[in-house]
Amino acid sequence: MKKFNLRKVLDGLTSASSSSPASPQPGNRENDTIQETLQCEHFQLCKTVRHGFPYQPSSMAFDPVQKILAVGTQAGALRIFGRMGVECYCQHESGAAVIQVQFLINEGALVSALSDDTLHLWNLRQKRPAILHSLKFSRERITFCHLPFQSKWLYVGSERGNIHIVNVESFSLSGYVIMWNKAIELSSKAHPGPIVHISDNPMDEGKLLIGFESGTVVLWDLKSKKADYRYSYDEAIHSMAWHHEGKQFICSHSDGTLTLWNVRSPTRPAQIITPHGKQPKDGKKPEPCKPILKAEYKTTRSGDPFMILSGGLSYDTVGRRACLTVMHGKSTAVLEMDYPIVDFLTLCETPYPSDYQEPYGVVVLLEKDLVVIDLGQIGYPLFESPYPLTIHESPVTCCEYLADCPVDLIPALYSVGSKQKRQAYSKKEWPISGGNCGQGAQSYQEIIITGHADGSVKFWDASAMMLQVLYKLKTAKVFEKYRSKEGALDEDPFAIQMLSWCPESRVLCVAGVSAHVILYRFSKQEVTTEVVQLLEVRLQYELIDVESPETGGDPGPPPSTPGGPSSPPPSTPQPHPSTGSGSPDGPQDSAPCLRVRSSPLKQSPGYQVELVIQLVWVSGEPPQPITSLAVNSSYGLVVFGNTNGLAVVDYLQKTVLLNVGSHELHGSSEPYQKQPRSPRKTRQPSGGLCDINEGSAPPEDRCKSPTSGTTLPLFHRLPATVIMHIAVLFMRSKNSRFSKMVVNDLAKVSRKLSLPSDLKPEMDGKENSFSHSGSSSATSIDRESREAITALCFSETFARKGDSATTPCLWVGTSQGAVLVISLSLPPAGEQRLLQPVTATPCGSLVRLKGSILRMGLLDGTGALLPPACELWWDHNTPDGAEEREGQPRRRPAAGTSPSSQEAGESHFAVVCSEKQAEVLALPSLSSPFKQGVTEASFALRADTLQLNGAPCLACFCANGHIMALSLPRLRPLLDVNYLPLTDMRIARTFCFSNNGQALYMTSPTEIQRITYSQETCDNLQEMLSELFTPVETPEAPNRGFFKGLFGGGAQTMDREDLFGEAVAGKASQSLAQHIPGPGTVEGMKGAASGVVGDLARARIALDERGQKLGELEERTAAMMASAESFSKHAHDIMLKHRDKKWYQF
């Protein structure tokens, strides 16, 4: 006989009533009086800026006049850098790799060549660069491009060995073509290979140097359309470079040699150099070395030229890092790099190739870094980079974003972080200094915190659309260096899993993957901690018989924990059990995963460790990963939970207040107590989580612990949302062995994660994505599931139904959708707080929603956000700080406080959001006036209660890519945009919202993408963005001198229009390339319309500069005319003097 369930009937009535318009309930008539000011027109979603190092860079270019740098990537992105705060991100729609970038120097434009044989012309004279023209080649593969300085004709080399010429103004092909069979020797039958280099002679624009991959070099005469000289070498060519006088050039080859050629001596090279080859004593040819991938030849007026090259190391240097070699005179410097070199270019004083180059720096693009070397100082030091390129120094595992933080916080972090810089940088200014920062930045300050796989925590100043590192905290210093049984150092045992931060009190709490929690407090004083305070917690899950409906009794109390409510603060740390000892079957119980260091710990000014909490092994099982964390500085408490249960710790008294299993938080007679669950016969697949097959993983397939050979508990005991959460926490770098084992274990258990079918992520170890599955069979997870703690929130509100006064509370959300409350009893502040115990009493569950609980928040009776109470920061290491603290009452952050929020007896609203639903509870009546479904086809990954335009709202990010916003407290839909599909777990792990309509996520392993959902920010974004192009006068051309001009020794110019124009060269074949007009002109008009004032000012400056230039030109013309008249007079006088003399009279 089927058992009648009254609770389900009541739930159905409640849901039916909540779907209809909410009616005023007794004791909650204020629901109708709350005025919600946020409307749909206050929301708009758009990207703002992207920070970090360009992921997978492929090419680079520099404008020596504008002093801006462009970097292309393998994903078709362009990142442009200028001075600090000047950054821009562009994306080619095709996503093809950028193989080369060429600036139109001082013209505010650049040309990009992609691997899909497409050329694009970008307009940089607007804040959001756009494509003006595109040219798609259909019969030729592009291999190299060259754009001479102050020329509008672009040379394009192809894989077939041909050279085509493009007019960059109209982006049309010229009929002038250099065919490979006309360039090489007529007697040669072999194809010379693809074009690897094109450049014109610095002293003669009519001579074009062409390098083929096979080793053939041709000096082509553009006017006569024939080859002047041909040069041949046995080894393949990788790069070429001219001497500025145009009489010599160098080639780098695949055998590690450099060949120096005289232009008029094509038979053999003038010199062969093997920079890293061992010279045999018998005069034989040096041993071959690795290829020299690129070489540059730069001259100086006052000394020897520079030869700069990458590669060319000897083959016996196995395992040596990539090097950049600088050869100057008789000295050779080998500079080791941290990553492989992608490209490099030399910074010179002049943009004219016919003048002495005077190099002063080298920009080196590495696979994961960008460095600039100072060539003007001894030892070649690095310039200090102003860009946030070290985000990925260790893989990012979690992020927190705080907008509108306290005004004294960023200066405090900067003051302690500036002392951490120890590297000796160059004393010169950063040479990439072009562009102007935006003017209309926000008035509030912003901070981003990133947790990393090596246990470090970085604080970043994100104000004014910029990103600058403030301070770096290394949590691994708290522990001893850990080694596994095999003797190899485990890769990521200290990885940061989650963060909880109180900005007002500057208390920081971090949770790591080894089931440890570290609490830090901020101090400006340096201290030495003799003994690190340690608490060890046994958080054990006791399996109850969920198959028996008659089982109504609660299980016995959990094992005793170190300390208790009445325990005095320990004066000495607890012993640190060794993780290496134990029985053959597994490590000893009550042992933590990591060993806290026993030697004194010197702590610099900044964040200093206050307490370390470690979960220990229980019954042969390692501690479960921590799934939720919260800290409250006003109460002096830190709380964390996992799939086993919950622990509340008093970090002032260093004691454990509460240690309970998840099922013990529910009372035996509560309506939301966990009930037996029977497997469902059918289940429709959705964008959320889907079952795939029956059975569980065999013991040998279970993943290993990061600290021992004992296996972790079976993942099939966990609910789907918990598996999702744990997977998010452990998705990290490609090299993380522990992460791979967790992913493999998740892939082998009976349930896998599934994303919507249109996403189709790959099971890639690098990004740790999950494969798609369409199966929907029920598994044992639904029958034996642990209720994990997924959300925690401190508040000062009504703990029980019908309470008349507010009390400190802890709200707990679980993976089963239950919301529970724990009442806290705190002694008076001051000395009594350190002596009297704090009590924590579970009050039972309040409500249950569909899906795992993601976020909980409180509103006061007026509908304003009610953040938890906090304590103002004071330096606990100074006597003055303690005195200041005595006079400081507990307070709430000013952001969400209203004058009436502290009145006794006033009602509150609790906002609860799960993966599927959002609900608002009226307190203390516990009625549910508002309920709203978040998503049906997917599930929410991130949710937060925020402020926008002074009003609260609920923001959600779903797995199907939708970003949503709901009003509070009525939960009216305000925004629903399909923005970003969840293509990998990194986005889910790092996505976070903040106040004032700001949000961010890690768009790649090295880049942070910031977005806004505020209409006001979108409207002002044009003024807030930086400018890439600024009016700068082009340097004067080098003076040819009297004798060079008289005898033709200077640079010779050529009118390329007469050679390449349509009137002379004719039209190119229409089937060779297709011209595609770009949207840049429309975007340019929009940008101009939004910044009329700035454009007028720039136009006025340009007119003034033009008038000044015209005046200078007039003066020069007059001087030249006077000089010409004087020369003519002197020549006439000499002629008259010697006119009547005979030849023998001279």
Side-chain angles (χ1 to χ4, degrees):
M1 178 178 179
K2 188 174 180 181
K3 186 176 180 180
F4 178 77
N5 195 326
L6 178 62
R7 180 175 64 85
K8 292 185 178 180
V9 176
L10 295 177
D11 287 347
L13 294 175
T14 304
S15 61
S17 61
S18 62
S19 61
S20 60
S23 57
Q25 301 184 19
N28 288 289
R29 295 185 179 90
E30 66 275 8
N31 297 349
D32 295 333
T33 63
I34 298 177
Q35 298 295 325
E36 294 183 346
T37 58
L38 285 181
Q39 304 297 329
C40 295
E41 53 267 22
H42 293 135
F43 292 84
Q44 182 181 348
L45 194 67
C46 68
K47 296 180 180 180
T48 53
V49 291
R50 180 173 293 200
H51 303 295
F53 180 77
Y55 184 55
Q56 294 180 338
S58 56
S59 58
M60 176 175 58
F62 181 70
D63 188 328
V65 180
Q66 288 289 322
K67 295 190 181 301
I68 55 177
L69 181 78
V71 177
T73 72
Q74 296 180 19
L78 279 176
R79 293 285 302 278
I80 304 175
F81 299 93
R83 68 178 70 235
M84 184 178 69
V86 176
E87 294 184 46
C88 180
Y89 166 76
C90 314
Q91 178 66 47
H92 295 90
E93 290 186 3
S94 65
V98 181
I99 60 175
Q100 198 171 354
V101 184
Q102 289 273 310
F103 273 104
L104 279 67
I105 295 177
N106 204 27
E107 295 293 334
L110 65 81
V111 176
S112 59
L114 306 188
S115 60
D116 63 352
D117 310 311
T118 307
L119 297 175
H120 300 278
L121 177 64
W122 290 84
N123 178 19
L124 305 183
R125 291 177 178 256
Q126 55 196 63
K127 292 189 173 183
R128 288 187 178 273
I131 294 177
L132 295 174
H133 302 281
S134 298
L135 196 63
K136 172 69 174 177
F137 284 79
S138 56
R139 294 188 300 177
E140 301 264 10
R141 299 298 307 271
I142 298 174
T143 58
F144 193 87
C145 298
H146 171 63
L147 180 65
F149 178 48
Q150 293 182 329
S151 171
K152 67 176 184 179
W153 297 97
L154 174 72
Y155 301 101
V156 181
S158 71
E159 191 175 39
R160 292 184 179 181
N162 305 323
I163 295 179
H164 303 276
I165 301 172
V166 178
N167 186 328
V168 294
E169 291 182 351
S170 61
F171 240 55
S172 59
L173 272 177
S174 168
Y176 192 111
V177 182
I178 304 175
M179 305 300 292
W180 67 271
N181 54 354
K182 294 182 179 180
I184 65 172
E185 293 279 359
L186 296 178
S187 60
S188 176
K189 298 181 180 179
H191 192 279
I195 299 287
V196 295
H197 180 83
I198 306 172
S199 62
D200 50 348
N201 190 313
M203 304 302 290
D204 189 354
E205 295 178 352
K207 308 294 184 182
L208 196 66
L209 191 68
I210 306 170
F212 295 92
E213 187 182 56
S214 63
T216 301
V217 179
V218 176
L219 186 64
W220 182 266
D221 190 323
L222 292 171
K223 293 182 179 179
S224 63
K225 298 184 180 180
K226 66 178 183 179
D228 282 351
Y229 300 101
R230 296 180 177 91
Y231 316 83
S232 181
Y233 193 70
D234 295 337
E235 298 293 335
I237 295 176
H238 285 277
S239 71
M240 302 171 64
W242 278 104
H243 188 279
H244 85 278
E245 293 180 347
K247 298 178 181 179
Q248 290 181 328
F249 62 89
I250 63 171
C251 301
S252 68
H253 299 277
S254 58
D255 63 344
T257 59
L258 292 173
T259 54
L260 179 64
W261 297 82
N262 291 326
V263 172
R264 299 182 182 273
S265 301
T267 55
R268 58 186 178 86
Q271 188 178 2
I272 300 177
I273 307 171
T274 308
H276 299 285
K278 297 178 181 179
Q279 299 292 337
K281 296 181 180 180
D282 54 2
K284 293 182 179 180
K285 186 178 179 181
E287 295 180 1
C289 297
K290 297 177 182 178
I292 297 178
L293 301 178
K294 185 176 182 180
E296 292 199 351
Y297 195 13
K298 304 298 179 182
T299 56
T300 61
R301 297 180 187 273
S302 58
D304 297 318
F306 282 88
M307 284 190 183
I308 306 169
L309 53 102
S310 63
L313 295 178
S314 176
Y315 279 105
D316 58 5
T317 57
V318 179
R320 187 173 182 178
R321 293 185 293 181
C323 295
L324 186 79
T325 304
V326 180
M327 303 171 64
H328 184 214
K330 295 182 180 180
S331 67
T332 300
V334 180
L335 310 177
E336 285 195 350
M337 302 293 157
D338 293 333
Y339 306 100
I341 298 175
V342 176
D343 194 6
F344 76 90
L345 53 86
T346 309
L347 305 180
C348 301
E349 297 288 352
T350 176
Y352 293 93
S354 60
D355 196 7
Y356 286 96
Q357 300 301 292
E358 301 294 342
Y360 62 88
V362 182
V363 182
V364 187
L365 178 64
L366 308 175
E367 281 190 358
K368 294 184 179 181
D369 202 359
L370 178 74
V371 296
V372 182
I373 301 169
D374 185 0
L375 294 178
Q377 293 189 25
I378 299 176
Y380 303 132
L382 298 180
F383 289 91
E384 185 177 3
S385 174
Y387 310 137
L389 302 181
T390 60
I391 296 175
H392 63 285
E393 187 177 19
S394 176
V396 176
T397 54
C398 61
C399 289
E400 291 293 335
Y401 188 14
L402 178 68
D404 199 10
C405 61
V407 293
D408 60 340
L409 189 56
I410 289 180
L413 291 170
Y414 179 79
S415 64
V416 297
S418 59
K419 302 175 183 178
Q420 296 178 331
K421 300 177 181 179
R422 297 180 179 177
Q423 184 174 353
Y425 291 103
S426 172
K427 297 179 181 179
K428 299 179 183 178
E429 296 292 331
W430 180 252
I432 306 171
S433 56
N436 290 322
C437 298
Q439 301 298 324
Q442 302 103 323
S443 58
Y444 51 86
Q445 295 181 341
E446 300 172 85
I447 286 182
I448 296 173
I449 310 177
T450 55
H452 299 265
D454 63 352
S456 61
V457 178
K458 291 183 180 180
F459 294 79
W460 305 83
D461 180 7
S463 308
M465 291 290 176
M466 294 190 292
L467 192 67
Q468 187 178 11
V469 65
L470 293 172
Y471 173 72
K472 180 179 179 180
L473 171 66
K474 297 180 180 179
T475 64
K477 291 183 176 180
V478 178
F479 302 100
E480 301 283 357
K481 186 175 291 187
Y482 176 78
R483 293 186 178 275
S484 63
K485 288 184 177 181
E486 292 77 9
L489 184 65
D490 195 76
E491 295 180 10
D492 298 324
F494 310 111
I496 304 299
Q497 192 167 328
M498 59 184 58
L499 302 163
S500 180
W501 190 42
C502 177
E504 284 77 15
S505 64
R506 304 180 191 173
V507 173
L508 173 69
C509 197
V510 300
V513 297
S514 297
H516 62 272
V517 176
I518 311 176
L519 187 128
Y520 290 90
R521 300 176 75 172
F522 188 85
S523 176
K524 295 182 178 180
Q525 306 297 320
E526 181 178 309
V527 297
T528 300
T529 304
E530 296 295 332
V531 177
V532 177
Q533 296 291 321
L534 170 65
L535 276 179
E536 294 181 352
V537 179
R538 293 171 55 90
L539 202 55
Q540 183 178 9
Y541 176 79
E542 300 213 359
L543 187 63
I544 60 175
D545 186 9
V546 296
E547 299 294 340
S548 174
E550 290 79 18
T551 305
D554 291 340
S560 59
T561 58
S566 59
S567 303
S571 57
T572 59
Q574 298 186 15
H576 308 161
S578 171
T579 60
S581 62
S583 63
D585 298 333
Q588 182 180 355
D589 282 350
S590 302
C593 297
L594 298 174
R595 182 197 295 268
V596 175
R597 64 183 295 165
S598 56
S599 58
L601 176 63
K602 183 179 179 181
Q603 305 195 72
S604 303
Y607 275 101
Q608 299 169 354
V609 62
E610 176 82 5
L611 178 65
V612 178
I613 307 169
Q614 289 184 290
L615 297 182
V616 298
W617 288 68
V618 178
S619 302
E621 289 189 355
Q624 294 294 311
I626 294 173
T627 57
S628 56
L629 177 70
V631 65
N632 187 281
S633 59
S634 178
Y635 304 156
L637 302 178
V638 58
V639 58
F640 57 92
N642 60 11
T643 57
N644 286 343
L646 176 77
V648 182
V649 175
D650 183 348
Y651 67 80
L652 297 179
Q653 298 187 20
K654 311 294 189 297
T655 57
V656 179
L657 303 180
L658 189 65
N659 180 4
V660 294
S662 306
H663 56 278
E664 295 178 287
L665 292 172
H666 299 273
S668 59
S669 60
E670 292 188 20
Y672 299 115
Q673 182 187 8
K674 188 173 74 171
Q675 297 292 329
R677 303 171 65 187
S678 59
R680 288 163 286 183
K681 298 299 181 183
T682 59
R683 182 177 178 179
Q684 296 295 328
S686 67
L689 305 175
C690 301
D691 305 327
I692 62 165
N693 51 12
E694 289 285 351
S696 59
E700 60 272 12
D701 289 337
R702 294 183 293 178
C703 69
K704 303 288 183 178
S705 166
T707 56
S708 74
T710 303
T711 55
L712 288 176
L714 287 175
F715 277 104
H716 74 267
R717 294 178 181 270
L718 308 183
T721 54
V722 181
I723 298 179
M724 176 72 179
H725 193 76
I726 296 175
V728 166
L729 298 173
F730 280 103
M731 297 305 105
R732 293 196 306 276
S733 68
K734 181 178 180 180
N735 296 325
S736 176
R737 185 171 67 251
F738 184 43
S739 299
K740 288 182 179 179
M741 290 187 295
V742 173
V743 174
N744 293 336
D745 187 68
L746 290 172
K748 293 174 183 177
V749 294
S750 57
R751 178 192 285 270
K752 288 188 178 180
L753 295 177
S754 173
L755 298 177
S757 57
D758 57 339
L759 304 185
K760 299 181 180 178
E762 299 178 358
M763 189 64 181
D764 184 12
K766 190 167 190 176
E767 298 301 333
N768 293 323
S769 302
F770 289 95
S771 60
H772 173 73
S773 174
S775 177
S776 59
S777 60
T779 67
S780 59
I781 301 177
D782 292 325
R783 296 189 295 270
E784 290 184 343
S785 60
R786 298 187 182 186
E787 189 169 14
I789 308 299
T790 57
L792 297 166
C793 176
F794 284 100
S795 64
E796 197 161 327
T797 183
F798 305 95
R800 297 174 178 84
K801 183 176 182 179
D803 280 358
S804 59
T806 60
T807 57
C809 300
L810 171 64
W811 287 59
V812 180
T814 72
S815 58
Q816 299 293 330
V819 178
L820 308 103
V821 177
I822 297 176
S823 176
L824 304 173
S825 177
L826 301 170
E831 186 177 354
Q832 297 184 31
R833 173 62 182 85
L834 302 177
L835 299 177
Q836 297 183 14
V838 179
T839 58
T841 307
C843 300
S845 54
L846 299 181
V847 69
R848 184 181 293 273
L849 277 67
K850 295 180 181 178
S852 176
I853 302 296
L854 299 179
R855 182 67 64 176
M856 298 171 291
L858 270 296
L859 306 176
D860 62 14
T862 64
L865 281 179
L866 197 64
C870 63
E871 181 182 61
L872 291 178
W873 175 77
W874 58 281
D875 199 332
H876 59 284
N877 288 330
T878 59
D880 296 339
E883 294 176 2
E884 293 177 4
R885 185 207 178 198
E886 293 297 331
Q888 291 179 0
R890 291 182 310 188
R891 72 181 192 95
R892 299 183 186 276
T897 305
S898 64
S900 61
S901 63
Q902 304 298 326
E903 296 178 4
E906 182 190 351
S907 62
H908 289 171
F909 295 97
V911 182
V912 183
C913 183
S914 72
E915 294 174 327
K916 292 288 188 179
Q917 291 178 313
E919 186 170 352
V920 174
L921 300 176
L923 303 178
S925 63
L926 292 185
S927 60
S928 178
F930 309 108
K931 182 183 292 187
Q932 176 70 39
V934 175
T935 176
E936 290 294 334
S938 183
F939 58 94
L941 290 170
R942 203 66 189 251
D944 211 341
T945 53
L946 308 161
Q947 275 200 322
L948 178 64
N949 298 337
C953 67
L954 176 66
C956 303
F957 171 60
C958 300
N960 59 3
H962 283 249
I963 294 181
M964 306 173 60
L966 304 173
S967 70
L968 290 178
R970 298 183 183 276
L971 299 177
R972 292 181 297 110
L974 299 174
L975 175 72
D976 189 355
V977 178
N978 187 6
Y979 168 70
L980 178 74
L982 182 64
T983 54
D984 55 64
M985 299 305 300
R986 184 195 333 103
I987 299 174
R989 184 180 66 243
T990 58
F991 197 101
C992 49
F993 292 100
S994 189
N995 290 323
N996 301 319
Q998 306 298 325
L1000 63 82
Y1001 60 94
M1002 291 290 295
T1003 185
S1004 74
T1006 62
E1007 296 169 291
I1008 290 178
Q1009 178 66 58
R1010 294 168 66 178
I1011 62 175
T1012 182
Y1013 50 92
S1014 167
Q1015 178 67 52
E1016 181 182 0
T1017 304
C1018 292
D1019 293 341
N1020 300 327
L1021 186 59
Q1022 188 70 21
E1023 296 298 327
M1024 296 162 63
L1025 295 177
S1026 57
E1027 293 180 339
L1028 297 175
F1029 179 80
T1030 54
V1032 180
E1033 183 179 356
T1034 303
E1036 292 185 7
N1039 188 5
R1040 298 170 61 184
F1042 176 75
F1043 290 102
K1044 286 186 177 181
L1046 186 62
F1047 298 107
Q1052 300 181 22
T1053 59
M1054 178 191 66
D1055 188 359
R1056 295 184 176 90
E1057 185 69 31
D1058 293 341
L1059 289 177
F1060 307 143
E1062 184 177 335
V1064 179
K1067 293 184 178 181
S1069 173
Q1070 296 183 356
S1071 62
L1072 182 61
Q1074 177 188 2
H1075 176 263
I1076 305 172
T1081 52
V1082 177
E1083 294 295 327
M1085 294 174 59
K1086 291 182 179 179
S1090 62
V1092 177
V1093 178
D1095 288 345
L1096 288 175
R1098 286 191 291 274
R1100 185 177 301 169
I1101 294 173
L1103 286 175
D1104 293 342
E1105 291 179 351
R1106 185 180 181 186
Q1108 184 178 358
K1109 291 179 183 178
L1110 289 175
E1112 294 176 356
L1113 181 61
E1114 186 177 356
E1115 293 176 0
R1116 292 176 189 171
T1117 305
M1120 291 176 64
M1121 291 177 64
S1123 177
E1125 290 178 0
S1126 176
F1127 179 78
S1128 176
K1129 182 180 178 181
H1130 286 297
H1132 185 69
D1133 293 342
I1134 293 174
M1135 186 268 296
L1136 293 176
K1137 181 178 178 180
H1138 299 285
R1139 180 176 58 178
D1140 298 331
K1141 291 186 178 182
K1142 304 298 181 181
W1143 63 271
Y1144 53 82
Q1145 292 178 326
F1146 284 99

